[in-house]
Amino acid sequence: MTDTKKLWGGRFTESADATFAKFNNSFTFDKRLFEADIRGCVAHCEGLFQAGVLTRSESERIKTGLWTILKRSDFDKKYFEETDAEDVHSFIESKLIHLIGDTGRKLHTGRSRNDQVATAFRLWLREEITEISKIVHELQKSLIDAAERQKDAVIPGYTHLQRAQPILWAHWCLAYFEMFDRDKERLDEVWRRVNILPLGSAALAGTAYEIDREAVAKELGFEGVTANSLDAVSDRDFAIEFVGACSLIMVHLSRFAEDLILYASSEFQFIELSDAVSTGSSLMPQKKNPDALELIRGKAGRIFGHQTALLSMMKGLPMAYNKDMQEDKEAVFDTVDNVKLSLQVAEIVMRNLHLKEERTRQAATKGYLNATELADYLVNKGVPFRTAHDSVGKVVLYGISIGKELNELNLVDFQKVSKLIENDVFEALSLEKTLASKNQIGGTSPERVFQALEEAKNSLERENE
Ligand code: ARG
């Protein structure tokens, strides 16, 4: 079924080539903006009424028509299928005209699809950003819960993927908590810039009708109105920024995934992934694969791709609107879908995660992870750090040669390197002391970490208020 003639058909004598029409069509994907665009249309209609362009009864008819169309889409599953509309905006307008007749033809007064699409896109994105933030919040909660479930658990910390120093498992959880906190901040900032109304900019020069743009903005819950009509219809920096913020979420998620993939391997055996988020091999019966985490890691590339696509699409575009910009939707839609899913799956992984505490504790005490402690011990006895570092290096070398950890050596062995080392060295090298000594803000001492956990919980509580 065809809805109507083209909205812009007046100056055309021939119809569009079928392949071009398909190429030009964005309804297949921008129908996702349907509800947002209806809301934008209703606000524009009210603006036209207030400006005296529409009579009260005309504006009432249009609004009722728009709400009817919205409702119809709810129960009529085929509503979006039987149409040849070019995009969501022409779809709505043609449905309106079909429903209420000629009055519907007045709605587009003082408006262009250029400011209309920018408005619908911002309205839609605004809600999605809030949704994504909520899911990040849930993931953070799952990190805190995991930390609390195994509050005293210790794991080896790594640099260069070499065992470095022992840390609390909760410290690892809180590291990701912090990253996701900043991600939420970034989303908030983007949200503020998205939340500005472009409607009233018309095609590029501004509207010729006395529409109170501030009032329209208020009705749609926008914080303000765009200050320049050319800018308003021609930039998509808000979308690029949004995908940028999502790219960083994906960077964080991919590292989180990579850590857990490693920890689940036979080489580490720090965690066992739940069956709920793993798959088997079609060939090797013993396999349990971390597909959920691998997909999260993999999807990061896809989101970065969208960011590059948007940047390249916008680069060098002449003022003002250009059809190239229709390409913004799919990149943003796909980003929203995949970021949400990745965050949700990460949360499920975290909720089902159990750390093999004995094994990680053992790993945290093998591999000279307390060597820095010994250097600090010497520093406390007045040895310059660089000298202490050198002496401890020698002790480690000796330990490696006889296959013993530092705390398995004899006092005599230590004293060969420094006479300053006494019996209290063994306590200083203990796992408990090693952890407890990192007691400044941001450190991994249990005292600091438990405090940080409380603060993290409180900050999430405050967000719930
Ligand atoms: N579908 C178009 C888009 O997404 C809507 C704006 C069309 N504007 C125009 N002047 N053809 O960008």
Side-chain angles (χ1 to χ4, degrees):
M1 187 194 113
T2 55
D3 277 316
T4 51
K5 299 192 299 212
K6 291 270 169 278
L7 298 175
W8 36 258
R11 64 101 69 212
F12 286 75
T13 50
E14 286 173 37
S15 55
D17 173 89
T19 304
F20 165 64
K22 197 170 164 202
F23 188 61
N24 191 38
N25 186 293
S26 60
F27 188 62
T28 47
F29 51 87
D30 69 13
K31 59 184 172 211
R32 225 171 140 166
L33 300 179
F34 178 68
E35 196 186 329
D37 203 36
I38 293 267
R39 282 160 63 200
C41 287
V42 170
H44 178 64
C45 174
E46 180 62 23
L48 288 175
F49 165 60
Q50 297 295 343
V53 179
L54 296 176
T55 66
R56 180 179 296 276
S57 87
E58 282 172 334
S59 79
E60 289 308 318
R61 285 194 72 190
I62 291 176
K63 280 196 227 169
T64 311
L66 289 167
W67 293 133
T68 308
I69 293 169
L70 182 62
K71 260 193 238 122
R72 170 88 185 262
S73 72
D74 256 354
F75 60 81
D76 184 354
K77 295 294 160 232
K78 291 221 162 111
Y79 199 42
F80 291 140
E81 284 165 26
E82 294 164 351
T83 178
D84 62 350
E86 181 182 319
D87 57 21
V88 67
H89 321 294
S90 27
F91 176 81
I92 293 172
E93 200 174 318
S94 58
K95 289 291 180 198
L96 182 70
I97 294 166
H98 182 75
L99 194 67
I100 67 166
D102 268 357
T103 311
R105 303 177 77 88
K106 294 192 170 186
L107 176 61
H108 209 56
T109 315
R111 177 180 81 165
S112 150
R113 275 185 295 167
N114 299 351
D115 58 344
Q116 187 180 351
V117 68
T119 302
F121 202 20
R122 283 171 183 260
L123 264 177
W124 177 86
L125 188 56
R126 188 176 76 178
E127 320 266 287
E128 291 295 339
I129 293 175
T130 307
E131 272 306 298
I132 294 173
S133 271
K134 280 190 198 149
I135 309 175
V136 176
H137 174 108
E138 290 307 312
L139 172 60
Q140 285 182 299
K141 211 147 78 189
S142 73
L143 282 160
I144 292 183
D145 291 345
E148 292 208 307
R149 279 201 302 277
Q150 297 185 280
K151 215 169 170 178
D152 302 311
V154 180
I155 61 170
Y158 297 82
T159 64
H160 312 270
L161 204 53
Q162 306 286 322
R163 284 186 193 171
Q165 290 184 304
I167 55 173
L168 284 187
W169 162 240
H171 201 50
W172 179 94
C173 295
L174 283 169
Y176 284 101
F177 179 95
E178 290 295 325
M179 294 178 223
F180 294 131
D181 235 29
R182 291 193 297 279
D183 286 328
K184 279 190 311 195
E185 273 174 35
R186 267 184 285 274
L187 287 173
D188 276 358
E189 279 169 30
V190 176
W191 190 91
R192 281 202 296 279
R193 279 187 285 275
V194 167
N195 198 29
I196 304 290
L197 177 79
L199 200 63
S201 304
L204 76 163
T207 186
Y209 297 84
E210 278 179 40
I211 296 172
D212 181 349
R213 296 189 60 214
E214 308 268 3
V216 176
K218 203 158 166 218
E219 181 161 339
L220 289 169
F222 282 109
E223 188 57 43
V225 298
T226 49
N228 179 294
S229 60
L230 280 178
D231 171 44
V233 294
S234 74
D235 208 350
R236 293 292 182 265
D237 56 354
F238 67 90
I240 301 178
E241 254 192 281
F242 164 71
V243 178
C246 289
S247 292
L248 277 168
I249 293 180
M250 293 310 295
V251 168
H252 294 151
L253 277 178
S254 71
R255 299 189 67 185
F256 160 89
E258 171 67 6
D259 272 355
L260 295 182
I261 290 167
L262 282 174
Y263 295 169
S265 69
S266 311
E267 281 66 25
F268 280 78
Q269 293 179 44
F270 286 0
I271 57 172
E272 163 112 22
L273 284 175
S274 145
D275 288 359
V277 287
S278 312
T279 59
S281 157
S282 57
L283 190 146
M284 301 161 282
Q286 86 285 8
K287 290 287 293 282
K288 185 165 175 184
N289 296 328
D291 292 34
L293 293 163
E294 289 168 297
L295 273 171
I296 291 174
R297 191 178 57 187
K299 279 180 188 293
R302 168 179 183 148
I303 308 302
F304 305 161
H306 292 321
Q307 194 183 7
T308 306
L310 287 175
L311 285 166
S312 327
M313 180 273 284
M314 286 304 295
K315 179 192 171 296
L317 283 187
M319 279 286 193
Y321 175 84
N322 298 270
K323 195 61 175 264
D324 315 44
M325 289 156 71
Q326 178 165 286
E327 289 291 309
D328 60 0
K329 314 287 178 316
E330 284 161 297
V332 172
F333 293 161
D334 190 74
T335 299
V336 164
D337 292 340
N338 282 289
V339 166
K340 274 178 164 174
L341 270 173
S342 303
L343 288 164
Q344 278 159 345
V345 171
E347 191 213 330
I348 299 169
V349 168
M350 217 49 217
R351 292 241 169 260
N352 287 288
L353 195 93
H354 183 78
L355 188 77
K356 298 175 183 167
E357 279 185 56
E358 265 179 39
R359 163 106 188 148
T360 56
R361 184 170 286 266
Q362 208 184 22
T365 50
K366 291 265 171 305
Y368 308 94
L369 288 90
N370 51 2
T372 315
E373 296 313 300
L374 183 56
D376 289 339
Y377 172 90
L378 287 169
V379 167
N380 277 328
K381 304 243 165 177
V383 180
F385 180 75
R386 193 49 59 215
T387 315
H389 186 285
D390 195 55
S391 307
V392 176
K394 294 203 169 79
V395 182
V396 169
L397 207 57
Y398 176 69
I400 292 172
S401 74
I402 61 166
K404 286 188 172 172
E405 286 293 317
L406 292 183
N407 27 355
E408 293 165 351
L409 298 177
N410 297 320
L411 191 55
V412 198
D413 299 327
F414 283 118
Q415 287 182 341
K416 273 185 220 149
V417 175
S418 170
K419 291 277 174 267
L420 291 169
I421 302 180
E422 294 166 278
N423 237 327
D424 57 351
V425 75
F426 295 103
E427 204 208 328
L429 291 177
S430 71
L431 182 61
E432 286 62 35
K433 261 276 155 57
T434 307
L435 289 168
S437 64
K438 312 301 179 308
N439 203 26
Q440 302 308 320
I441 299 171
T444 196
S445 78
E447 193 187 339
R448 284 290 179 187
V449 171
F450 297 161
Q451 212 176 320
L453 258 178
E454 284 314 304
E455 278 161 26
K457 273 196 289 188
N458 291 340
S459 81
L460 289 188
E461 288 284 310
R462 279 196 299 275
E463 280 175 22
N464 284 336
E465 278 161 15

